[in-house]
Amino acid sequence: MRLISQSGRLDFPYEQVVLQQDECWIYARLVCESKARNLLGEYSTPEKAKKVMDKLHDVHGRMEGQKIVGIFVYQPVVVFQFPEDDEVEA
């Protein structure tokens, strides 16, 4: 799964980042780096940021459930772009 920032300028593989919600901001940190944080989304309230994280977990959970098909492993290309603040219901 690919994670795309609100701006569209950052693109990370989900499996290689640690995501962190810090109040109204959502950051990604590459697993191989200890300190550098990359802003993926900024929201007007912590509740909106949490809703986006919940949506991301839902999308990833549905993706994980679809991987095994018979004897084949199916890995669909899934892209999650962090929505703009006004696209998230309060």
Side-chain angles (χ1 to χ4, degrees), residues 9-10 14 21 25 27 53 62 73 85:
R9 293 182 178 187
L10 299 174
Y14 182 84
Q21 178 191 343
W25 301 275
Y27 296 98
M53 288 293 285
R62 281 186 279 135
V73 176
D85 184 66

Side-chain angles (χ1 to χ4, degrees), residues 6-69:
Q6 280 176 333
S7 68
R9 293 182 178 187
L10 299 174
D11 180 334
F12 294 102
Y14 182 84
E15 296 78 12
Q16 295 178 20
V17 296
V18 175
L19 297 175
Q20 176 188 8
Q21 178 191 343
D22 185 3
E23 295 294 325
C24 300
W25 301 275
I26 298 173
Y27 296 98
R29 180 175 51 82
L30 288 170
V31 174
C32 62
E33 295 181 14
S34 61
K35 296 185 181 183
R37 295 191 311 175
N38 300 279
L39 182 64
L40 295 178
E42 181 176 359
Y43 300 94
S44 57
T45 67
E47 292 76 21
K48 282 188 170 188
K50 182 173 180 346
K51 280 188 176 187
V52 172
M53 288 293 285
D54 290 344
K55 172 82 172 173
L56 172 63
H57 294 151
D58 181 56
V59 169
H60 184 259
R62 281 186 279 135
M63 184 190 85
E64 286 295 307
Q66 296 176 1
K67 277 191 175 180
I68 300 175
V69 179

